[in-house]
Amino acid sequence: MSQFKVFVTREIPRAGLDLLGTRCEFTVGSYEEKPLAEAEIRNGLKGADALLCLLTERITREILSDCHVKIVANAAVGYDNIDVKAATELGIPVTNTPGVLTETTADFAFSLLMSSARRIAEADRFVRAGKFTGWGMMMLLGNDVYGKTLGIVGMGRIGRAVAKRGKGFGMKIVYTDQARNPEAEAELGAEFVSKETLFRSADFVSLHVPLTPETRHFVGAAEFALMKPTSHLINTARGPVVDEQALLQALKDRKIAGAGLDVYEREPQVTAGLMELDNVTLAPHLASASVETRSRMATMAVENIFAVMDGRRPPNLVNPDVYAARG
Ligand code: GLV
């Protein structure tokens, strides 16, 4: 039998490529820090049995219909970049990398929260600009974190890990979700509230929902109108969950005190005007970016490919209907 051929769209950590190389032939589409164009993806998929892709590649119905892959392994927990419905109809399993990035992502969300509360990015720019001419009682005053209310939107794995950090910092936890999470309530004393109550009462709102048609623009002008002028919004989920134009306006009008963003509505573009504001901390989609976690995400994607090669159901399948249809 000829060797299984894998197309890896862009560079992934060595641990992933080394593992892949033990059993497969593979090509890497690009070693540059930019997403592949559709034509490059199509070209790379010629003769490929599997696709290992990143969240920057849009894997459309057309691409899936024109190739012959037996699995699409996304090296990310979110998979809104893939037309999963089309993959399911075409009988192609799609996998993601849940669990391994939970703590790393939660660390980053909390770092953005702290940065927004205590104006750390702004303070760094202040010092670099030579403006630190002496200690000032009134200089760069921020907001306290301890004793405040942390509002978690989406109490899944990552939301709960962020809530745990909040509890460690002496915060009260409220959350909203499609369903209650009794374990989080028992562990953290988290209180389940309506969306409206959460936006009204939280001093920090942290988003942890996947991007779906229901969560697109989940936070917009109406939610900013509910928030307190001292509150902060943290987004490490997906950019389009927030109406970025409405956020820009809320930050400009000081309807809210600040925001910490790791993701953007039209990534990698940042809505014009946001970069000029001091009350927003901007990061380039880094939440899972630790050496350890990115390596584990890469090997996990490879393990899913190996499972399909061996005729097994991949451990991190997101479209189980593919297997249900196979009986
Ligand atoms: C990162 O955003 C991921 O979905 O893994």
Side-chain angles (χ1 to χ4, degrees):
M1 196 177 93
S2 68
Q3 244 199 333
F4 208 78
K5 292 191 183 62
V6 181
F7 176 53
V8 181
T9 54
R10 295 173 56 192
E11 184 175 14
I12 59 171
R14 198 66 245 170
L17 292 181
D18 285 349
L19 184 63
L20 197 56
T22 60
R23 298 192 56 193
C24 305
E25 215 177 274
F26 68 86
T27 52
V28 177
S30 166
Y31 283 86
E32 282 174 33
E33 288 299 341
K34 71 174 171 51
L36 287 197
E38 179 174 341
E40 293 172 300
I41 300 174
R42 284 178 176 276
N43 198 35
L45 281 172
K46 283 185 192 143
D49 300 299
L51 170 63
L52 194 162
C53 56
L54 309 185
L55 58 84
T56 42
E57 280 85 51
R58 279 195 62 233
I59 308 302
T60 60
R61 177 181 288 274
E62 292 69 34
I63 290 178
L64 291 167
S65 310
D66 292 348
C67 70
H68 298 97
V69 297
K70 297 173 186 68
I71 175 172
V72 174
N74 209 35
V77 67
Y79 46 86
D80 48 277
N81 56 309
I82 300 168
D83 188 337
V84 177
K85 186 168 179 282
T88 308
E89 283 165 19
L90 292 161
I92 305 170
V94 175
T95 61
N96 68 341
T97 61
V100 292
L101 46 73
T102 301
E103 300 299 330
T104 306
T105 302
D107 280 347
F108 199 80
F110 215 81
S111 310
L112 283 178
L113 183 154
M114 293 298 287
S115 175
S116 195
R118 301 301 304 275
R119 304 172 64 173
I120 294 172
E122 189 184 350
D124 178 271
R125 289 192 295 274
F126 182 87
V127 175
R128 286 173 201 271
K131 293 184 185 163
F132 182 33
T133 53
W135 185 85
M137 187 78 164
M138 302 305 292
M139 186 198 293
L140 288 165
L141 305 185
N143 295 119
D144 279 330
V145 166
Y146 72 87
K148 295 292 178 67
T149 298
L150 172 58
I152 300 285
V153 176
M155 190 60 100
R157 275 180 298 257
I158 299 172
R160 187 166 162 187
V162 173
K164 204 165 168 179
R165 283 156 178 76
K167 186 160 164 70
F169 275 73
M171 302 178 90
K172 175 184 176 205
I173 315 296
V174 297
Y175 76 102
T176 195
D177 208 330
Q178 285 170 333
R180 287 178 74 147
N181 184 328
E183 287 106 47
E185 292 182 18
E187 182 192 20
L188 307 165
E191 187 189 342
F192 182 75
V193 294
S194 67
K195 177 180 179 186
E196 181 175 335
T197 301
L198 185 135
F199 279 90
R200 266 192 210 290
S201 62
D203 299 293
F204 297 89
V205 175
S206 193
L207 305 178
H208 302 289
V209 287
L211 176 62
T212 64
E214 292 73 40
T215 62
R216 187 172 289 274
H217 282 194
F218 188 83
V219 185
E223 286 66 37
F224 293 123
L226 294 172
M227 288 174 80
K228 301 185 263 192
T230 49
S231 60
H232 298 252
L233 178 78
I234 310 302
N235 190 7
T236 52
R238 283 290 183 268
V241 174
V242 176
D243 176 344
E244 213 162 89
Q245 199 60 44
L247 171 64
L248 173 73
Q249 210 50 52
L251 288 166
K252 264 189 172 165
D253 299 348
R254 303 277 159 176
K255 278 208 172 91
I256 64 173
L261 305 180
D262 189 39
V263 287
Y264 302 87
E265 199 173 343
R266 283 166 290 274
E267 223 166 289
Q269 282 173 49
V270 177
T271 290
L274 266 183
M275 287 199 221
E276 280 72 60
L277 299 180
D278 267 333
N279 55 346
V280 59
T281 301
L282 304 170
H285 204 151
L286 286 182
S288 66
S290 73
V291 174
E292 299 89 340
T293 290
R294 287 283 165 89
S295 295
R296 190 62 197 106
M297 287 163 69
T299 55
M300 200 168 181
V302 172
E303 283 157 11
N304 280 300
I305 292 174
F306 286 175
V308 166
M309 279 172 66
D310 295 338
R312 285 183 288 117
R313 186 184 162 113
N316 310 110
L317 187 64
V318 303
N319 55 347
D321 285 354
V322 166
Y323 284 82
R326 288 179 193 179

